[in-house]
């Protein structure tokens, strides 16, 4: 078997920029616990964490103090949802949401209103959200890009509707952060959650919650500030960052932000869209049922005739191709796409995906369908 052809970047990017790995190793040798001492190793950790915070703020067009570090996007979404939603509150969500959104809402006992529209029809999604924004809506939660189908929701339009209706907006940017442009200032969102380990190209165990309003802590504990009080600090980011931060991970994430900032604007999104359009056409040519459409990001779901999706993915894995199959932790999206009974096979690209890898992938699929 040759080198692994990795097409599971919607779960996590496997190939990272070299400087990310170097930053993680450097931090493990030089950094202690930020805010927990006046010695040089603690001060160095504090400096590096703040550097990552300022780079993130610049990248997302917000202020450093509004950047709160989390373990992942799920962690951030739980903080955001629990800061805004209580039992019985009406919450509007898209029919493409991940369990990281739906499970917290069900656990709280929220009244969930699901917006549905045809996949890849941005205009229809915008109109469906407009109709759903009724008086009494406590919050809107929407993912920017579907982790199952790669369709991009009209986030700017939805954000404008929320501002006009004075309804707080929570954005799940798990599949768009680092790929599509995002400005917190322009969106005016209450919260935006993103993982560090996907499109941002950072290490696992890192994430961001960008806060446009006050937030309630999910965890309580030491922050290195206001230690005399038994209440969590009333200011960000300390209010949401109890306990020791993942300093090596955040140093790696800081290096990833520096890497992304040096790329030509929109280059990653443009390349992924070009690759995914070609991939969709080639999969259809070898007999696959493909879910694709206008404006698709670098996530593509498909099915192979006469093969269970997980069986097919396993057969491709034996040929050295890493995909994901099943429901992808998003059964609601599969209800919308009418694939709940079958699931899908998902190929997800990154800036490291090559045309040669996709050639080999198509060849392997053709062997299964031929």
């Amino acid at each position: 078997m040759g080198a692994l052809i990795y097409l599971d970047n919607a779960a996590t990017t496997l190939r990272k920029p070299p400087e990310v790995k170097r930053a993680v190793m450097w931090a493990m040798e030089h950094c202690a616990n930020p805010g927990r001492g006046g010695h040089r190793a603690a001060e160095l950790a504090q400096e590096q964490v703040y550097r990552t915070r300022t780079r993130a703020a610049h990248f997302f067009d917000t202020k450093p103090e509004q950047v709160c570090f989390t373990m992942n996007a799920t962690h951030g979404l739980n903080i955001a949802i629990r800061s805004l939603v209580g039992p019985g509150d009406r919450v509007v969500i898209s029919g493409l949401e991940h369990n990281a959104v739906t499970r917290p809402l069900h656990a709280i006992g929220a009244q969930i209103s699901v917006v549905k529209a045809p996949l890849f029809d941005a205009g229809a999604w915008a109109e469906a959200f407009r109709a759903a924004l009724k008086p009494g809506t406590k919050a809107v939660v929407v993912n920017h890009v579907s982790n199952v189908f790669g369709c991009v929701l009209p986030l700017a339009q939805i954000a404008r509707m929320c501002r006009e209706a004075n309804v707080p907006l929570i954005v799940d940017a798990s599949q768009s952060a680092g790929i599509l442009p995002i400005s917190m200032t322009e969106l005016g969102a209450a919260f935006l959650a993103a993982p560090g380990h996907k499109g941002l190209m950072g290490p696992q165990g890192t994430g961001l919650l960008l806060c446009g309003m006050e937030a309630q802590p999910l965890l309580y504990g030491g922050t290195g500030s206001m230690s005399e009080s038994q209440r969590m600090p009333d200011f960000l980011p300390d209010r949401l960052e109890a306990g020791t931060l993942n300093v090596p991970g955040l140093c790696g994430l800081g290096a990833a932000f520096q890497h992304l900032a040096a790329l030509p604007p929109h280059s990653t999104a443009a390349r992924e869209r070009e690759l995914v359009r070609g991939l969709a056409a080639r999969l259809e040519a070898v007999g696959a049922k493909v879910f694709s459409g206008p404006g698709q990001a670098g996530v593509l779901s498909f099915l192979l005739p006469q093969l269970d999706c997980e069986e097919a993915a396993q057969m491709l894995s034996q040929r050295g191709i890493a995909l994901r199959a099943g429901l992808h932790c998003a059964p609601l999206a599969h209800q919308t796409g009418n694939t709940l009974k079958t699931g899908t096979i998902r190929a997800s690209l990154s800036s490291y995906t090559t045309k040669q890898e996709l050639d080999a992938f198509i060849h392997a699929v053709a062997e299964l369908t031929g």
Side-chain angles (χ1 to χ4, degrees):
M1 182 185 298
L4 177 69
I5 297 174
Y6 187 78
L7 300 175
D8 193 22
N9 294 281
T12 194
T13 51
L14 181 63
R15 301 182 179 106
K16 313 288 187 183
E19 56 265 41
V20 171
K21 303 172 189 177
R22 290 195 296 267
V24 171
M25 295 306 299
W26 180 88
M28 293 182 72
E29 294 176 353
H30 294 89
C31 292
N33 201 328
R36 269 70 167 186
H39 54 81
R40 183 55 186 152
E43 291 177 347
L44 195 58
Q46 185 87 348
E47 292 167 6
Q48 295 301 315
V49 167
Y50 187 71
R51 179 175 296 176
T52 299
R53 204 182 302 277
T54 57
R55 287 175 178 172
H58 180 75
F59 193 83
F60 291 109
D61 189 22
T62 188
K63 298 176 181 178
E65 61 269 21
Q66 292 178 297
V67 177
C68 297
F69 292 125
T70 60
M71 295 181 291
N72 44 50
T74 299
H75 181 191
L77 287 167
N78 271 265
I79 294 172
I81 289 169
R82 291 181 179 276
S83 294
L84 290 175
V85 180
D89 286 343
R90 182 176 188 269
V91 180
V92 174
I93 68 173
S94 84
L96 298 172
E97 297 308 311
H98 191 278
N99 281 342
V101 167
T102 57
R103 284 179 173 175
L105 289 173
H106 279 283
I108 290 169
Q111 178 191 344
I112 305 170
S113 178
V114 179
V115 171
K116 292 189 178 182
L119 299 176
F120 306 106
D121 189 338
W125 280 101
E127 288 306 312
F129 268 98
R130 189 184 305 279
L133 273 173
K134 299 176 181 177
T137 301
K138 195 65 178 288
V140 169
V141 189
V142 61
N143 63 20
H144 195 179
V145 174
S146 167
N147 75 302
V148 177
F149 299 108
C151 48
V152 182
L153 292 186
L155 182 59
Q157 291 175 265
I158 295 168
R160 184 174 65 251
M161 294 175 202
C162 289
R163 293 195 304 271
E164 292 171 352
N166 199 29
V167 176
L169 171 66
I170 300 172
V171 179
D172 177 0
S174 293
Q175 301 300 332
S176 62
I179 300 168
L180 299 180
I182 296 173
S183 166
M184 276 291 284
T185 299
E186 292 179 5
L187 289 176
F191 298 100
L192 184 145
H197 64 98
K198 298 186 183 184
L200 291 176
M201 308 296 288
Q204 292 174 328
T206 62
L208 305 164
L209 181 66
L210 308 181
C211 300
M213 62 175 292
E214 293 184 4
Q216 297 302 314
L218 189 64
L219 299 176
Y220 292 76
T223 60
S225 58
M226 296 183 62
S227 295
E228 72 284 357
S229 174
Q230 289 306 294
R231 296 180 179 272
M232 289 297 288
D234 58 1
F235 54 88
L236 296 175
D238 294 38
R239 186 165 177 77
L240 302 184
E241 292 182 354
T244 298
L245 294 172
N246 176 4
V247 176
L250 293 177
C251 285
L253 183 58
F257 275 120
Q258 190 173 27
H259 169 83
L260 292 170
L263 298 176
H266 315 305
S267 60
T268 300
R271 184 173 183 276
E272 287 190 11
R273 280 175 170 156
E274 178 187 2
L275 289 176
V276 86
R277 281 196 300 267
L279 184 59
R282 296 177 72 185
L283 281 169
E284 287 181 338
V286 295
K289 179 180 179 181
V290 179
F291 300 85
S292 63
Q296 187 166 12
V299 178
L300 179 68
S301 268
F302 64 97
L303 293 168
L304 298 182
Q306 312 305 318
L307 286 173
D308 172 80
C309 71
E310 295 193 15
E311 178 186 5
Q314 183 59 36
M315 295 169 72
L316 290 166
S317 176
Q318 292 168 358
R319 290 164 169 80
I321 300 166
L323 302 157
R324 184 169 175 187
L327 298 182
H328 316 103
C329 298
L332 185 58
H334 286 279
Q335 290 178 18
T336 299
N338 295 315
T339 54
L340 185 60
K341 292 183 179 180
T342 61
T344 61
I345 310 166
R346 185 185 70 187
S348 48
L349 315 180
S350 85
S351 57
Y352 286 97
T353 304
T354 67
K355 292 184 178 180
Q356 291 76 16
E357 287 178 321
L358 296 182
D359 289 343
F361 167 52
I362 291 295
H363 179 75
V365 173
E367 288 182 342
L368 298 187
T369 58

